[in-house]
């Protein structure tokens, strides 16, 4: 066996998985086909729940240093060719990090290496196979072909995943005929930038900041903090485009001409890219010893969310896989990875597919749909709800049991905690990625119940201003596994906690060994 876990692909999902596995005590082998770190920009940043998770892991300051800017709360967000305006809310529901993907990957790779991951570049996986005990990858490396074996293999090899295909996991969905072209540019002096952000273009007149819809497509632009502009065109083109084929300035200018009907003079160009849109989701995120995460598991027909969803897949998977490797995973734990993250991916598909319907069409019905949506989104509640859906912050994993506490399955809020010796927080507690029983109400009965699991979980007592529950059992991925209602009697709370601890963290320390070991 070459490794307990092999990760195929050193993109954001694979590298995050590598780091999280190391935190959980497993040192993975990462195989990446590119000989060097990615240089071409893909994502320019990311947003949503992963930003908070990175803060919980103590990584956000490094991310901000690499970005050169602090995390922003988005004053607006594009949604199906419309603009969601969060500026009148007291707080925006979407945290945003501006960090080009190559820099994110460098940071994640350095962290994973420091924690003990073995990252090999120039190794391309040609196919995978498995039996009851192992999984094997056929690899083309710098020294020729070889075979790598492991107990588990994670396919984090992107949208065209070889792992997914050779494992026989279907990837159903839809390819849309839209082509998006994106450029980071300046404009020459002949184009006037007006005080409200609009452009005054000779021969074209005034172009409003945001999206301009014509019969031939959509043109959009917005100001960047470095003074430049981010411009985008969207056109329907039946031909398949490759995300990897480089785009030229001539191609971008021709697209603008088609959409707007005239030339828009451009100055300096710092970035050009082109991408198509697909809505696809792997039927299964787990096939025996093979798991999928990131773009290998899902593709969304809107930008700006792929990194968030993919890295959160990795965070969800890592501790469960590590529990299996360590031998203490309760039955079915690894299958909850598919259940929870397929559900999260389906929620992301829901909102991105809705964006397709909103941005398509030029007939009166399509216009009415957009107008109605704009009207609804003037109200705070639907605006917040959509913001949470875009950022994946409202995900509540389905939890077992007849009536789980409303917090069970949600991402643990960052409560400020008074632990007797100064102030701490939920974020501080989650830094080592260990499960925590957080007693917020001096519940000795619950702490006593958890004592049999204290080799696997941390038990903490603290007070907090607005206590949301008497106690929270928080998993390493910061989702709440179980919560005790305020003043819940020990007669019901303690057995329920015991059940939750067994379900998520295995048998207690002094329990008799199971009669026959069952597969996870
Ligand atoms: C133009 C563009 C702009 C985007 N903008 C944003 C954005 O602003 N925000 C955002 O969140 N998302 C954005 N996305 C999406 C985002 O880039 C992806 O969701 C993200 O890269 C997925 O990460 P991943 O790790 O799952 O896969 P990838 O980043 O695709 O990484 C997969 C890795 O696996 C390697 N690999 C592939 N096959 C093999 C093999 N057989 N053997 C070994 N290694 C292999 C690849 O070389 C690659 O390094 C954008 C995408 C595009 C195309």
């Amino acid at each position: 066996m070459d490794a307990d876990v092999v990760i195929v692909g050193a993109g954001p999902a694979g590298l995050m998985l590598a780091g999280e596995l190391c935190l959980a005590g497993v040192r993975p082998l990462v195989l990446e086909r590119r000989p060097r770190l990615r240089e071409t920009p893909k994502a320019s940043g990311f947003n949503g729940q992963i930003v908070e998770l990175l803060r919980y892991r103590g990584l956000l300051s490094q991310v901000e240093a690499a970005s050169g800017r602090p995390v922003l709360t988005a004053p607006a967000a594009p949604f199906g060719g419309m603009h969601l305006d969060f500026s009148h809310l007291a707080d925006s529901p979407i945290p945003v990090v501006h960090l080009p993907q190559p820099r994110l990957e460098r940071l994640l790779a350095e962290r994973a290496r420091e924690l003990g991951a073995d990252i090999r570049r120039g190794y391309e996986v040609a196919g995978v196979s498995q039996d009851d005990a192992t999984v094997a990858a056929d690899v083309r490396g710098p020294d020729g072909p070889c075979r790598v074996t492991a107990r588990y293999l994670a396919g984090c090899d992107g949208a065209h995943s070889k792992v997914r295909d050779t494992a026989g996991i279907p990837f159903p969905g839809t390819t849309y005929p839209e082509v998006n072209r994106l450029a980071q540019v300046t404009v020459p002096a002949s184009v006037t930038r007006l005080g409200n952000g609009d452009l005054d273009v000779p021969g074209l007149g005034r172009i409003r900041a945001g999206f301009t819809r014509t019969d031939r497509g959509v043109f959009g632009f917005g100001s960047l903090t470095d003074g430049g502009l981010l411009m985008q065109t969207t056109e329907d083109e039946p031909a398949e485009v490759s995300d990897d084929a480089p785009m030229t300035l001539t191609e971008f200018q021709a697209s603008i001409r088609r959409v707007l009907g005239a030339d828009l003079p451009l100055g300096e160009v710092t970035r050009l890219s082109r991408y198509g849109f697909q809505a696809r989701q792997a039927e299964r995120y787990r096939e025996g010893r093979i798991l999928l995460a990131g773009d290998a598991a899902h593709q969304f027909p809107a930008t700006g969310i792929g990194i968030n969803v993919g890295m959160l897949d990795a965070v969800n998977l890592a501790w469960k896989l590590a529990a299996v490797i360590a031998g203490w995973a309760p039955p079915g734990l690894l299958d909850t990875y598919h259940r929870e993250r397929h559900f999260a991916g389906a929620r992301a598909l829901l909102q991105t597919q809705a964006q397709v319907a909103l941005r398509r069409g030029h007939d009166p019905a399509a216009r009415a749909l957009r107008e109605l949506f704009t009207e609804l989104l003037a109200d705070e509640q639907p605006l917040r709800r959509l913001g949470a859906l875009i950022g994946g912050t409202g995900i509540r994993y389905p939890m077992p049991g007849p009536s789980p506490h409303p917090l069970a399955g949600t991402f643990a809020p960052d409560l400020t905690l008074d632990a007797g010796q100064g102030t701490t927080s939920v974020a501080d507690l989650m830094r080592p990625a260990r499960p925590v029983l957080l007693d917020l109400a001096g519940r000795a009965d619950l702490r006593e119940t958890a004592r049999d699991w204290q080799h696997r979980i941390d038990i903490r007592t603290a007070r907090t201003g607005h206590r949301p529950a008497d106690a929270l059992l928080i998993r390493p991925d910061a989702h709440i596994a179980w919560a005790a209602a305020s003043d819940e009697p020990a007669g019901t709370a303690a057995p329920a906690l015991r059940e939750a601890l067994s379900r998520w963290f295995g048998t207690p320390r002094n329990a008799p060994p199971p009669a026959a070991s069952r597969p996870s």
Side-chain angles (χ1 to χ4, degrees), residues 8-14 31-34 38 42-46 101 105 123-125 156-159 162 182 243 271 273-275 293-296 303-308:
V8 183
L31 301 175
E32 165 59 50
R33 72 174 170 200
R34 291 173 203 263
R38 184 198 302 276
K42 221 167 142 184
S44 52
F46 56 90
Q101 192 162 336
E105 291 180 8
Y123 290 82
E124 176 163 13
V125 170
C156 302
D157 49 344
K162 197 55 128 201
L182 202 67
D243 289 350
R271 178 186 172 191
S273 52
R274 179 207 315 101
Y275 52 92
D295 277 14
T303 52
I305 65 159
I307 289 185
N308 181 36

Side-chain angles (χ1 to χ4, degrees), residues 123-206:
Y123 290 82
E124 176 163 13
V125 170
V128 293
S129 54
Q130 60 178 323
D131 58 30
D132 286 350
T134 56
V135 52
D138 291 313
V139 183
R140 286 189 287 262
D143 304 319
C146 62
R147 177 165 263 233
V148 174
T149 58
R151 290 172 67 188
Y152 286 88
L153 180 144
C156 302
D157 49 344
H160 307 287
S161 171
K162 197 55 128 201
V163 172
R164 184 189 64 228
D165 289 351
T166 55
I169 302 175
F171 196 43
T174 308
T175 301
Y176 292 101
E178 291 168 309
V179 176
N180 299 275
R181 295 182 173 87
L182 202 67
Q184 224 162 292
V185 290
T186 59
V187 282
S190 60
V191 175
T192 311
R193 291 180 69 171
L194 303 171
N196 64 353
D198 295 354
L199 296 181
D200 193 9
V201 185
L204 260 174
R206 193 176 178 132

Side-chain angles (χ1 to χ4, degrees), residues 159-292:
H160 307 287
S161 171
K162 197 55 128 201
V163 172
R164 184 189 64 228
D165 289 351
T166 55
I169 302 175
F171 196 43
T174 308
T175 301
Y176 292 101
E178 291 168 309
V179 176
N180 299 275
R181 295 182 173 87
L182 202 67
Q184 224 162 292
V185 290
T186 59
V187 282
S190 60
V191 175
T192 311
R193 291 180 69 171
L194 303 171
N196 64 353
D198 295 354
L199 296 181
D200 193 9
V201 185
L204 260 174
R206 193 176 178 132
I207 308 177
R208 282 185 49 209
F211 296 99
T212 301
R213 190 176 292 278
T214 71
D215 288 346
R216 295 160 303 274
V218 177
F219 172 76
F221 77 95
S223 299
L224 296 166
T225 43
D226 65 3
L229 295 170
L230 188 65
M231 289 188 180
Q232 185 189 343
T233 60
T234 305
E235 297 176 86
D236 274 5
E237 286 176 32
E240 280 242 338
V241 291
S242 160
D243 289 350
D244 291 332
M247 189 180 74
T248 62
L249 181 59
T250 313
E251 180 184 330
F252 187 55
Q253 283 179 310
S255 174
I256 294 179
R257 197 178 308 122
R258 283 194 299 273
V259 174
L260 294 180
D263 281 324
L264 169 58
L266 299 178
E268 207 178 308
V269 181
T270 44
R271 178 186 172 191
L272 286 164
S273 52
R274 179 207 315 101
Y275 52 92
F277 273 141
Q278 304 205 30
R280 295 188 182 277
Q281 189 171 28
E283 239 171 59
R284 300 178 293 283
Y285 283 19
R286 178 185 180 193
E287 180 73 49
R289 296 178 173 274
I290 296 170
L291 299 124
L292 299 178

Side-chain angles (χ1 to χ4, degrees), residues 193-455:
R193 291 180 69 171
L194 303 171
N196 64 353
D198 295 354
L199 296 181
D200 193 9
V201 185
L204 260 174
R206 193 176 178 132
I207 308 177
R208 282 185 49 209
F211 296 99
T212 301
R213 190 176 292 278
T214 71
D215 288 346
R216 295 160 303 274
V218 177
F219 172 76
F221 77 95
S223 299
L224 296 166
T225 43
D226 65 3
L229 295 170
L230 188 65
M231 289 188 180
Q232 185 189 343
T233 60
T234 305
E235 297 176 86
D236 274 5
E237 286 176 32
E240 280 242 338
V241 291
S242 160
D243 289 350
D244 291 332
M247 189 180 74
T248 62
L249 181 59
T250 313
E251 180 184 330
F252 187 55
Q253 283 179 310
S255 174
I256 294 179
R257 197 178 308 122
R258 283 194 299 273
V259 174
L260 294 180
D263 281 324
L264 169 58
L266 299 178
E268 207 178 308
V269 181
T270 44
R271 178 186 172 191
L272 286 164
S273 52
R274 179 207 315 101
Y275 52 92
F277 273 141
Q278 304 205 30
R280 295 188 182 277
Q281 189 171 28
E283 239 171 59
R284 300 178 293 283
Y285 283 19
R286 178 185 180 193
E287 180 73 49
R289 296 178 173 274
I290 296 170
L291 299 124
L292 299 178
D295 277 14
H298 39 66
Q299 270 206 282
F300 307 117
T303 52
I305 65 159
I307 289 185
N308 181 36
V309 182
M311 283 173 64
L312 288 173
D313 289 345
V315 174
N316 187 294
L317 174 59
W319 69 276
K320 297 172 182 174
L321 196 48
V324 174
I325 301 289
W328 61 258
L333 180 68
L334 198 51
D335 287 326
T336 67
Y337 168 64
H338 166 85
R339 205 155 53 238
E340 295 180 350
R341 292 312 297 168
H342 193 277
F343 167 76
R347 296 293 292 166
L349 272 168
L350 177 77
Q351 60 97 352
T352 49
Q353 298 260 60
Q355 291 194 47
V356 177
L358 278 171
R359 70 178 170 236
R360 297 181 113 189
H362 306 286
D363 62 358
R367 280 196 289 275
L369 178 67
R370 288 191 284 269
E371 207 174 309
L372 181 64
F373 232 78
T374 308
E375 221 173 284
L376 292 174
L377 291 170
D379 295 342
E380 175 163 350
Q381 208 266 349
L383 193 58
R384 279 196 182 282
R385 188 155 177 172
L386 202 50
L389 197 53
I390 294 169
T393 49
I395 289 289
R396 181 181 180 205
Y397 295 140
M399 283 288 142
S403 54
H405 190 282
L407 284 173
T410 63
F411 192 86
D414 189 15
L415 306 171
T416 301
L417 304 171
D418 175 359
Q421 297 150 334
T423 305
T424 180
S425 66
V426 167
D428 287 340
L429 297 185
M430 295 319 297
R431 202 167 174 141
R434 273 176 61 83
V436 179
L437 176 74
L438 179 57
D439 169 13
L440 296 167
R443 294 286 303 250
D445 55 325
L446 301 181
R447 293 199 306 278
E448 188 53 37
T449 302
R451 201 180 299 278
D452 284 345
W453 282 266
Q454 68 181 3
H455 53 308

